[in-house]
């Protein structure tokens, strides 16, 4: 097609320079050419055909150019979107790296905290074992010096027997007094036995314990003992019950007996909230019976292991 176009242009240029007749006769480039020979008419037709073809080609080129421009605009939009996406991806990667770094730091801090907690726990365990050893030594000291065979035998007696014997003895004394009075006045002897109120046994064990403590505060020692020994027989908090039995003896200034019950309580358990008071009253009881050396050990253990308790603050500073 390029060859045809070149030939046409060459012929056209030749004809343009040829001498034309007046009024355009023989001008093959004119739209209204006339007086053409057969050869000229053939050339004229070819020129017109080439001109039409060239116009179509130019129109096609313009169309393609427009499409190219449209594609270029679309491509620019895609490139812009890609740039934004790439920027967002970079931000996310940066943020992800930051999160990973933060997470790594948190994990390291957590590991450090766990390790510190483990060391603290190990230290606490060692201290706890040391405390138990010291308390055990103190209890052994009490066992060795202040628990006689007779006292141990008394501890093993059930409260029912103790209460029954006490009640029976009191009844006999009353009856003897009545008999002596009646021998003088000839008044008939009346039955002085009273029905024992044990309705408290229908209550829950924790309620019975509260009642026993109330009896102690009211100086109703026998009633308190009865309830506490009932709880011991029921195997309800025997360490706490023995502590309160010790408190009964302590309030009555029966210090040797108090030490026995304190010892039994601490042998069963040394974890009660009452334990600082147990140590304190044990130390005082030991002082009262003349064993100052062992008492000092209890004061020292109390101040060391329960420093913030009222009992520790009230304890004397001894070597």
């Amino acid at each position: 097609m390029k060859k045809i176009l070149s030939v046409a242009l060459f012929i056209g240029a030749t004809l343009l320079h040829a001498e034309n007749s007046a009024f355009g006769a023989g001008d093959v480039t004119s739209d209204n050419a006339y007086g053409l020979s057969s050869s000229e008419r053939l050339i004229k037709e070819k020129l017109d055909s080439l001109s039409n073809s060239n116009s179509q080609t130019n129109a096609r080129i313009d169309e393609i150019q427009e499409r190219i421009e449209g594609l270029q605009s679309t491509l620019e939009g895609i490139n812009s979107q890609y740039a934004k996406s790439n920027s967002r991806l970079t931000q996310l990667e940066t943020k992800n790296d930051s999160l990973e770094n933060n997470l790594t730091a948190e994990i390291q801090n957590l590991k450090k905290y766990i390790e510190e907690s483990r060391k603290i726990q190990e230290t606490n365990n060692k201290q706890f074992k040391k405390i138990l050893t010291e308390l055990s030594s103190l209890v052994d000291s009490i066992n060795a010096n202040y628990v006689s065979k007779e006292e141990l035998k008394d501890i093993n007696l059930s409260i029912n027997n103790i209460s029954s014997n006490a009640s029976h003895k009191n009844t006999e004394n009353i009856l003897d007094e009545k008999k002596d009075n009646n021998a003088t006045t000839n008044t008939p002897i009346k039955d002085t036995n009273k029905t024992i109120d044990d309705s408290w046994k229908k209550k829950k064990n924790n309620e019975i314990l509260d009642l026993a403590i109330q009896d102690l505060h009211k100086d109703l020692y026998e009633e308190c003992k009865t309830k506490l020994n009932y709880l011991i027989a029921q195997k309800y908090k025997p360490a706490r019950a023995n502590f309160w039995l010790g408190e009964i003896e302590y309030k009555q200034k029966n210090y040797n007996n108090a030490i026995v019950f304190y010892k039994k309580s601490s042998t069963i358990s040394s974890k009660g909230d009452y334990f600082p008071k147990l140590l304190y009253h044990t130390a005082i009881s030991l002082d009262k019976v003349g064993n100052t050396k062992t008492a000092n050990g209890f004061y020292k253990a109390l101040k060391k292991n329960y420093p913030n308790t009222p009992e520790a603050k009230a304890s004397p500073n001894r070597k």
Side-chain angles (χ1 to χ4, degrees):
M1 182 176 180
K2 289 182 179 181
K3 290 180 178 181
I4 296 172
L5 185 58
S6 298
V7 172
L9 292 174
F10 175 75
I11 295 172
T14 304
L15 293 174
L16 287 173
H17 291 84
E19 250 185 64
N20 295 324
S21 61
F23 306 104
D27 184 2
V28 295
T29 62
S30 175
D31 292 335
N32 298 315
Y34 63 95
L36 299 176
S37 65
S38 59
S39 298
E40 288 174 340
R41 282 196 299 272
L42 180 61
I43 291 172
K44 170 67 174 170
E45 291 174 359
K46 289 182 178 182
L47 285 174
D48 291 341
S49 177
L50 288 173
S51 178
N52 291 333
S53 178
N54 185 51
S55 297
Q56 293 176 359
T57 300
N58 289 334
R60 182 63 174 167
I61 290 172
D62 292 340
E63 181 183 353
I64 293 173
Q65 185 66 31
E66 290 177 359
R67 295 182 62 182
I68 289 174
E69 290 176 355
L71 291 173
Q72 186 175 0
S73 176
T74 302
L75 182 60
E76 289 175 354
I78 293 173
N79 288 338
S80 176
Q81 188 66 31
Y82 170 77
K84 292 180 181 179
S85 298
N86 189 52
S87 176
R88 178 60 176 166
L89 179 60
T90 302
Q91 292 177 359
L92 291 175
E93 288 177 346
T94 303
K95 185 176 181 180
N96 184 57
D97 291 339
S98 177
L99 289 175
E100 287 182 354
N101 293 334
N102 291 337
L103 182 60
T104 300
E106 289 294 330
I107 292 174
Q108 293 299 324
N109 291 336
L110 181 59
K111 288 182 178 179
K112 183 179 179 181
Y113 172 78
I114 292 173
E115 181 62 20
E116 290 176 352
S117 299
R118 184 187 64 79
K119 291 180 179 179
I120 292 173
Q121 186 62 34
E122 287 182 354
T123 302
N124 290 339
N125 288 338
K126 291 179 180 179
Q127 185 69 16
F128 182 69
K129 290 179 180 179
K130 184 178 179 181
I131 292 172
L132 288 180
T133 301
E134 292 177 355
L135 293 177
S136 178
S137 298
L138 292 173
V139 171
D140 290 342
S141 175
I142 294 175
N143 290 336
N145 297 289
Y146 290 96
V147 182
S148 65
K149 293 182 179 179
E150 189 62 27
E151 288 170 334
L152 289 174
K153 182 178 179 181
D154 290 339
I155 291 174
N156 292 327
L157 291 175
S158 67
I159 185 58
N160 292 330
N161 291 333
I162 295 175
S163 299
S164 177
N165 291 336
S167 177
H168 181 66
K169 188 174 182 179
N170 291 334
T171 302
E172 287 181 347
N173 291 335
I174 294 172
L175 289 175
D176 288 341
E177 292 177 359
K178 291 291 184 179
K179 287 180 180 180
D180 292 339
N181 293 333
N182 290 333
T184 304
T185 61
N186 294 323
T187 302
I189 300 175
K190 295 182 179 180
D191 187 4
T192 58
N193 290 331
K194 295 182 179 180
T195 303
I196 298 175
D197 181 14
D198 59 354
S199 59
W200 51 266
K201 292 183 179 180
K202 297 179 181 179
K203 297 181 179 294
K204 296 180 181 180
N205 287 336
N206 64 312
E207 295 175 338
I208 295 174
L209 179 59
D210 291 338
L211 290 175
I213 296 173
Q214 292 175 18
D215 289 341
L216 175 61
H217 294 326
K218 296 176 183 177
D219 296 335
L220 301 175
Y221 300 128
E222 292 303 320
E223 289 84 345
C224 182
K225 287 181 182 179
T226 301
K227 292 179 176 66
L228 291 174
N229 281 278
Y230 173 81
L231 293 175
I232 292 174
Q234 297 295 319
K235 298 181 179 180
Y236 178 77
K237 297 185 177 181
R240 188 178 293 271
N242 274 283
F243 162 73
W244 287 112
L245 287 172
E247 289 292 275
I248 293 173
E249 299 297 333
Y250 180 84
K251 287 190 69 174
Q252 294 179 299
K253 299 182 179 181
N254 298 324
Y255 298 113
N256 277 319
N257 293 340
I259 291 171
V260 172
F261 285 111
Y262 292 147
K263 181 273 307 179
K264 188 169 185 178
S265 174
S266 63
T267 301
I268 297 172
S269 175
S270 59
K271 297 181 180 180
D273 55 354
Y274 55 86
F275 204 68
K277 181 174 287 188
L278 183 150
L279 293 177
Y280 183 55
H281 284 178
T282 300
I284 293 176
S285 298
L286 289 168
D287 263 340
K288 294 293 184 181
V289 300
N291 193 337
T292 304
K293 182 178 180 180
T294 306
N296 291 344
F298 274 85
Y299 286 132
K300 181 179 179 182
L302 180 58
K303 284 182 171 293
K304 181 178 180 180
N305 302 316
Y306 304 95
N308 297 321
T309 60
E311 292 80 10
K313 295 176 181 179
S315 297
N317 293 313
R318 297 179 183 175
K319 295 182 179 180

